[in-house]
């Protein structure tokens, strides 16, 4: 499939996604990072309360940490990541708050309702690399009894009839200290060093440097 054809399919897909109203308990309409044709997908868990306002995924505290990791290990700032990597999620709408005031975890039926969107994205993009962020996202692809069993490791996974590399990350939420303390801190660094060396990421970094050099010359 040509890049133009994938772009057209993905644009149609995103348009349909934004119109989805399958889950009545969700507290927002779907959030999308845009129809970015890429060999890489980042899969989050679900939007928080800020994402519907700002209309983009990873728009607040967790996003600042995630994009800092990309900048530190891959040499790609937030603008570069958003323009070159496709952002998906287990659920695309803000689930709302639970009785304790924290973000509500999506229910199994809400996850099932949303799963077809991700399957279709994998069929269209046929990514070489998927990066699930957080345990809920990781569990859509592999078993995750404990984060320390999967963070810093690579997996070869099949979903929606396509095989790809899976490099799990912990959720960069400020509410979770896992990625800040041992062994989570060391495992997160190991995971991102592996991500940085993946051919799909290396190709993005190379194209970005070439574009910057061309702009400088021009």
């Amino acid at each position: 499939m040509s890049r133009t054809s994938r772009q057209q399919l993905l644009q149609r897909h995103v348009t349909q996604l934004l119109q989805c109203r399958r889950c009545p308990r969700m507290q927002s309409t779907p959030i999308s990072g845009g129809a970015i044709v890429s060999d890489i997908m980042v899969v989050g868990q679900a939007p928080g309360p800020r994402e519907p306002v700002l209309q983009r995924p990873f728009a607040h505290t967790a996003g600042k940490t995630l994009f800092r990791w990309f900048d530190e290990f891959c040499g790609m700032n937030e603008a570069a990541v958003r323009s070159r990597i496709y952002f998906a999620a287990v659920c695309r709408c803000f689930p709302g708050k639970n009785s304790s005031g924290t973000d509500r975890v999506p229910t199994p039926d809400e996850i099932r309702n949303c799963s077809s969107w991700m399957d279709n994205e994998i069929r269209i993009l046929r990514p070489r690399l998927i990066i699930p962020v957080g345990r809920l996202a990781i569990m859509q692809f592999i078993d995750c009894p404990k984060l320390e069993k999967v963070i810093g490791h690579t997996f070869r996974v099949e979903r929606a009839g396509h095989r790809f590399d899976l490099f799990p990350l912990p959720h960069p939420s400020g509410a979770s200290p896992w990625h800040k303390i041992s062994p989570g801190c060391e495992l997160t660094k190991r995971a991102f060093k592996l991500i940085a060396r993946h051919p799909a990421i290396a190709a993005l970094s190379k194209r970005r440097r070439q574009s910057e050099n061309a702009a400088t010359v021009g």
Side-chain angles (χ1 to χ4, degrees), residues 8-20:
Q8 291 171 343
L9 285 173
L10 191 61
Q11 186 62 64
R12 190 178 309 136
H13 166 89
V14 170
T15 299
Q16 293 170 344
L17 165 66
L18 293 176
Q19 296 170 351
C20 181

Side-chain angles (χ1 to χ4, degrees), residues 40 128-129 165 167 194-205:
I40 305 158
R128 299 163 67 188
L129 171 63
D165 295 325
F167 289 16
L194 291 170
I195 289 170
R197 291 199 295 266
H198 191 277
I201 290 286
L204 283 189
S205 300

Side-chain angles (χ1 to χ4, degrees), residues 1 23 40 47 92 98 129 136-137 158 162 170 186 196-197:
M1 187 188 303
C23 303
I40 305 158
R92 310 305 170 95
N98 59 31
L129 171 63
L136 183 66
E158 180 173 343
H162 175 64
E186 294 81 7
R197 291 199 295 266

